[in-house]
Amino acid sequence: MYVISLVDNLGLVYLKRSEESPHRPMYFFLAMPFLIDLFNCTTTLPNRLCIFWFHLKEINFNACLVQMLIVHGFTGVESGVLMLMALDHYVAICYPLCYATILTSPVIAKAGLATFLRSVMLMIPFPFLVKRLPFYQSNIITHTYCDHMSVVKLSCASIKVNIIYGLTVALLVGVYDICCISVSYTMILRAVVSLSSADARQKAFSTCTAHISAIIITYVPASFTFFTHRFGGHTVPPSLHIIVANLYLLLPPTLNPIVSGVKTTQI
């Protein structure tokens, strides 16, 4: 899956740079999650391969914290990019004549930078909140990479602050982005239904198919991982949780470029 994602993502990014046609804002929004997914997966893959192939199961504590920051940080960035793509589709379908004037290159750059800074600023406290905790009973996490909750559950002290802050970040990033995506698609649906031409309705729905697939591929395993850590720890088998958590970093970079490549005519 990683080799497929490597070929897919790098191929599409190269295509975007080399071809003249894919330079609309939509293709910048497509390239961003490709690179984010690939970087996020590459951050954790060496550890996973070392665990399964060579039984090298140790990681330095500071390296673990860095890995945690990168994984959660880029996950937040990806969520923000999916939200920006929903807004892109909204402008393209509801205001097609003003699309080029609304989504200019400076606007896209500022939106991407704001999304990146939001995620980084919210995720930076995680390593510091973990580092303040005492760990002297166990230093073995039942995971293949350093997830925030997997690490803090090893602490002997109260982790209430970590849980509250984690839920707050999830609310400010995930829930906020999902709400924006839902509002965008509600407006898109209203605009599409009002179209008189069946071909125009079909084209509008087809435009959104790849993005909706990316949302499902990204948010479903992410939501499962998030909620089972906090609310289903005693009912969900650890093996199932770990498998889904690994697929959560592998499925998006593997499937999203394929779906986008098939559904986007220019690509």
Side-chain angles (χ1 to χ4, degrees):
M1 290 176 71
Y2 178 71
V3 171
I4 292 172
S5 67
L6 193 67
V7 173
D8 287 347
N9 287 282
L10 293 181
L12 287 178
V13 170
Y14 173 77
L15 176 68
K16 187 209 158 296
R17 288 181 59 85
S18 61
E19 294 293 326
E20 291 296 326
S21 57
H23 286 281
R24 289 174 53 207
M26 179 182 69
Y27 298 102
F28 288 101
F29 289 134
L30 281 176
M32 281 192 279
F34 293 162
L35 293 174
I36 291 166
D37 285 337
L38 194 60
F39 185 78
N40 216 356
C41 186
T42 304
T43 303
T44 58
L45 187 80
N47 275 125
R48 285 181 276 179
L49 294 183
C50 287
I51 290 169
F52 292 119
W53 288 356
F54 310 113
H55 301 286
L56 300 176
K57 303 179 181 182
E58 293 185 2
I59 183 171
N60 180 272
F61 185 60
N62 290 325
C64 181
L65 296 179
V66 171
Q67 187 184 75
M68 178 194 307
L69 177 62
I70 292 174
V71 169
H72 292 305
F74 277 92
T75 298
V77 174
E78 182 175 27
S79 177
V81 171
L82 290 175
M83 182 260 294
L84 293 178
M85 291 174 71
L87 296 177
D88 169 79
H89 289 309
Y90 166 70
V91 175
I93 293 174
C94 297
Y95 303 98
L97 299 179
C98 304
Y99 181 84
T101 56
I102 294 175
L103 290 179
T104 60
S105 295
V107 170
I108 296 169
K110 290 175 183 176
L113 180 62
T115 301
F116 178 79
L117 291 177
R118 178 196 67 166
S119 179
V120 170
M121 296 303 293
L122 287 173
M123 301 303 172
I124 281 178
F126 276 124
F128 296 100
L129 289 174
V130 173
K131 200 156 189 176
R132 70 183 178 85
L133 296 172
F135 296 91
Y136 52 83
Q137 285 187 347
S138 175
N139 62 351
I140 301 173
I141 60 171
T142 54
H143 219 306
T144 54
Y145 61 90
C146 291
D147 175 81
H148 174 244
M149 289 305 297
S150 296
V151 176
V152 299
K153 283 181 178 180
L154 300 179
S155 175
C156 311
S158 172
I159 59 173
K160 187 176 181 179
V161 175
N162 296 73
I163 294 175
I164 292 174
Y165 186 74
L167 291 172
T168 303
V169 170
L171 185 67
L172 293 174
V173 176
V175 176
Y176 174 80
D177 291 345
I178 290 173
C179 288
C180 289
I181 291 170
S182 301
V183 171
S184 298
Y185 272 101
T186 301
M187 302 298 289
I188 289 171
L189 188 61
R190 289 178 57 185
V192 171
V193 170
S194 64
L195 293 174
S196 57
S197 170
D199 290 338
R201 287 196 296 269
Q202 183 178 0
K203 184 178 179 181
F205 280 125
S206 179
T207 302
C208 301
T209 304
H211 182 237
I212 294 172
S213 301
I215 292 171
I216 295 172
I217 293 168
T218 302
Y219 278 114
V220 169
S223 300
F224 179 88
T225 302
F226 178 83
F227 286 112
T228 52
H229 252 318
R230 288 158 179 81
F231 308 112
H234 301 293
T235 57
V236 178
S239 56
L240 176 62
H241 175 81
I242 294 169
I243 289 172
V244 174
N246 280 278
L247 289 176
Y248 158 58
L249 293 180
L250 276 171
L251 279 178
T254 304
L255 297 182
N256 284 342
I258 297 174
V259 174
S260 299
V262 170
K263 295 301 296 181
T264 306
T265 305
Q266 290 88 338
I267 296 178

